[in-house]
Amino acid sequence: MSYFFSLSSGQTKSASTNASLVICHDYRNYSVWSPLLLLIPLFPCYNTVMADLFTELENQNKQIPLAEAIRPKTLEEFLGQSNVIAPNSPLLNLLQTNRLFSMIFWGTPGCGKTTLARLIATKTNANFIEISAVTSGVKDIKEAVENAKMALRNGTKTILFIDEIHRYSKTQQDALLPHLENGTLFLIGSTTENPSFQVVPALLSRAQVIRLNPIDDESMFKIIKRGLAYLVQQYVPMDCEKGVFDFIINLARGDARSALNITENAYFASDLVDGRRNLTVKIIEEICQKRNTMYSQQEHYDCASAFQKSLRGSDPDAAIYYLAKMIAAGEDPRFIARRLITCAAEDVGNADPMAFNLAVNAYKAVELLGLPEGRIPLAQAVIYVARAKKSNETICAIDAALSDIAHGKDYPPPMHLRDAHYKDAAKYGFGEGYVYSHSNPDYEQQFLPDELVGKKYTR
């Protein structure tokens, strides 16, 4: 079959004709239909026609990932984040009144940041513009603002969703400020990094940071079940071996996208016999190249706790075992190293300062080497910290001082210690009577506030 133009009934081939392309199944054969491109300028709508044509061809050939295919369409279908969108939660109550506000979703990959942003737009009937900070800039923000202004003329609010917002520079983030300030649009940013360090203060003051947790095991079970049900409905039935769900949950570690990717790949990799698939743990092990270990989300916290307590209790053998268990289960080695640094400061402290240095260097080594080589400097630091002399003076001192301040003992420094490096300081008596300690090390002077003279935080 050849390619041809199909004209509306009763119309002639003129400049005002609306034409649509009808193509046969072998549209990939460019040499067959490319001559028709010469005819397209006869029609004023040819750009739109071709854009629609190519978009349709692209959509027909896309392999839509399972995670996208079963993405929730309503907030009621959304699983996980019960701390944020549970019934009668503040966020849900605001959305039910169609009240929008700017927010930044901070959470691990696959916890539902993008999905939740889209559902909020749907719930509030808002115009939704989605861009990525990786591929966009100030120009895209300006275009979004113009789009939002047009929507406002039709009585519609606009949500600008910026994925990976922490990748924007200060200038790019600042470009959002006036438009958030005057209500032209509302921002929903998503980030895997701590916004306190990656987002400029001016933007943080205009947006509410909402912490999203990794998907809990119960919700993850339902998500995987929903994914398999979709695959069975679209393709062929399947049998599922006991332990498959738990294994996928352990591998995904709170990342719903990862869980659904594993589910989809395992489904199509499973044996097909008499029109029925058989999904087993072994198939998933071979695909992911990881053994099935007992390591649920609860086990993640249990092992981290046992690891740190073994270090604190000076048992290097137990600490090494829990280190191995976490590595074997696919734990992020940077998480392990952070626990190690915390223990070195909290439980060893100044009794052996080298422990802290070794723990920090183990973290850097893990970032440089990755696994499996990173296991060696981690193990070295673990053994050292476990065997080091222990002291909790550091954590006790800072917590005692913080407790005093939290309970009302929040006092100003003595007058002679206050900053005297500006013109009017002397007029207020700031810095008067201060003695430079290096010039007179034997001179005794007061450093604590007047109300806390004699207070001891260290020992």
Side-chain angles (χ1 to χ4, degrees):
M1 184 184 295
S2 62
Y3 295 85
F4 60 94
F5 285 101
S6 174
L7 303 178
S8 300
S9 177
Q11 292 180 331
T12 59
K13 196 181 296 184
S14 65
S16 61
T17 301
N18 288 325
S20 62
L21 281 174
V22 179
I23 62 174
C24 71
H25 66 280
D26 62 339
Y27 53 79
R28 295 177 185 82
N29 189 348
Y30 179 80
S31 63
V32 174
W33 61 271
S34 59
L36 291 177
L37 295 176
L38 299 175
L39 299 176
I40 289 176
L42 293 173
F43 306 100
C45 60
Y46 73 94
N47 282 331
T48 302
V49 170
M50 291 307 294
D52 291 343
L53 167 66
F54 290 128
T55 299
E56 181 61 27
L57 295 181
E58 290 167 6
N59 290 337
Q60 288 178 7
N61 287 286
K62 278 182 181 177
Q63 180 178 304
I64 306 297
L66 179 61
E68 182 64 30
I70 68 166
R71 191 186 291 271
K73 302 297 188 296
T74 65
L75 282 171
E76 289 70 28
E77 295 178 8
F78 188 82
L79 294 170
Q81 312 308 335
S82 57
N83 59 314
V84 176
I85 59 167
N88 295 321
S89 65
L91 177 59
L92 199 57
N93 289 340
L94 278 169
L95 296 178
Q96 288 172 345
T97 61
N98 270 358
R99 294 290 299 178
L100 284 174
F101 61 97
S102 293
M103 59 193 97
I104 296 175
F105 292 150
W106 171 29
T108 56
C111 68
K113 299 184 290 296
T114 302
T115 298
L116 187 54
R118 293 179 182 178
L119 294 179
I120 288 173
T122 301
K123 181 74 173 178
T124 57
N125 297 313
N127 177 32
F128 188 74
I129 302 173
E130 182 174 349
I131 60 178
S132 170
V134 177
T135 57
S136 65
V138 173
K139 178 177 178 289
D140 301 274
I141 294 174
K142 289 180 178 179
E143 290 177 359
V145 169
E146 292 305 314
N147 189 313
K149 289 178 178 178
M150 292 179 62
L152 284 173
R153 294 167 196 151
N154 296 319
T156 303
K157 300 173 184 176
T158 294
I159 293 174
L160 174 60
F161 176 73
I162 304 179
D163 194 21
E164 305 290 339
I165 193 171
H166 62 274
R167 293 183 179 270
Y168 265 170
S169 67
K170 182 180 184 300
T171 301
Q172 291 169 320
Q173 292 184 38
D174 286 345
L176 294 163
L177 300 180
H179 312 296
L180 302 183
E181 191 75 28
N182 61 28
T184 300
L185 52 75
F186 296 90
L187 169 71
I188 298 183
S190 77
T191 177
T192 55
E193 305 293 333
N194 189 336
S196 298
F197 303 118
Q198 304 294 338
V199 179
V200 297
L203 187 54
L204 285 177
S205 73
R206 291 164 173 81
Q208 179 68 45
V209 175
I210 297 178
R211 184 77 166 93
L212 300 185
N213 299 320
I215 303 298
D216 62 275
D217 289 358
E218 182 179 353
S219 297
M220 190 70 81
F221 185 93
K222 294 177 182 178
I223 290 170
I224 297 169
K225 185 177 180 181
R226 183 183 293 175
L228 285 174
Y230 174 85
L231 293 171
V232 167
Q233 182 182 27
Q234 295 294 316
Y235 302 100
V236 298
M238 62 164 288
D239 295 315
C240 188
E241 183 183 57
K242 182 180 179 181
V244 163
F245 279 52
D246 290 338
F247 188 25
I248 296 175
I249 291 170
N250 291 344
L251 288 172
R253 299 297 314 283
D255 183 338
R257 186 187 300 106
S258 174
L260 290 173
N261 287 341
I262 294 170
T263 300
E264 183 177 20
N265 292 336
Y267 175 85
F268 287 107
S270 60
D271 296 331
L272 180 61
V273 180
D274 297 329
R276 194 175 188 89
R277 293 192 177 277
N278 183 31
L279 180 56
T280 65
V281 170
K282 183 180 179 182
I283 290 171
I284 301 174
E285 286 179 339
E286 291 175 353
I287 290 175
C288 300
Q289 298 183 341
K290 291 183 179 179
R291 291 185 62 253
N292 183 13
T293 56
M294 293 295 295
Y295 203 80
S296 63
Q297 190 167 355
Q298 182 59 48
E299 194 82 3
H300 156 76
Y301 294 110
D302 290 344
C303 274
S305 175
F307 175 64
Q308 191 160 346
K309 288 170 182 173
S310 299
L311 291 168
R312 181 183 300 138
S314 299
D315 189 333
D317 299 299
I320 283 290
Y321 172 77
Y322 292 118
L323 170 65
K325 187 172 176 66
M326 289 189 284
I327 291 174
E331 188 73 74
D332 185 345
R334 294 172 298 181
F335 166 79
I336 301 173
R338 287 194 295 269
R339 291 291 88 209
L340 186 61
I341 292 171
T342 301
C343 184
E346 176 182 343
D347 300 309
V348 178
N350 291 324
D352 188 346
M354 183 56 69
F356 182 79
N357 292 335
L358 201 60
V360 170
N361 284 324
Y363 182 95
K364 293 178 180 178
V366 163
E367 285 199 316
L368 287 171
L369 298 174
L371 291 177
E373 290 83 357
R375 76 191 190 284
I376 303 170
L378 269 178
Q380 178 187 0
V382 164
I383 293 170
Y384 189 96
V385 172
R387 288 176 173 169
K389 185 179 179 181
K390 303 298 190 294
S391 170
N392 66 347
E393 178 186 25
T394 303
I395 188 173
C396 291
I398 186 60
D399 284 355
L402 287 170
S403 177
D404 279 353
I405 293 170
H407 289 86
K409 297 181 180 180
D410 188 2
Y411 308 121
M415 296 292 286
H416 65 283
L417 296 184
R418 299 189 190 183
D419 182 25
H421 291 86
Y422 59 98
K423 183 178 179 181
D424 292 333
K427 182 168 64 175
Y428 302 119
F430 291 176
E432 185 177 342
Y434 171 67
V435 175
Y436 186 56
S437 297
H438 292 290
S439 299
N440 192 350
D442 296 327
Y443 181 80
E444 292 186 5
Q445 56 186 327
Q446 175 187 331
F447 292 101
L448 276 168
D450 295 339
E451 298 83 353
L452 292 176
V453 172
K455 176 72 178 184
K456 292 288 185 183
Y457 292 109
T458 62
R459 56 179 187 266

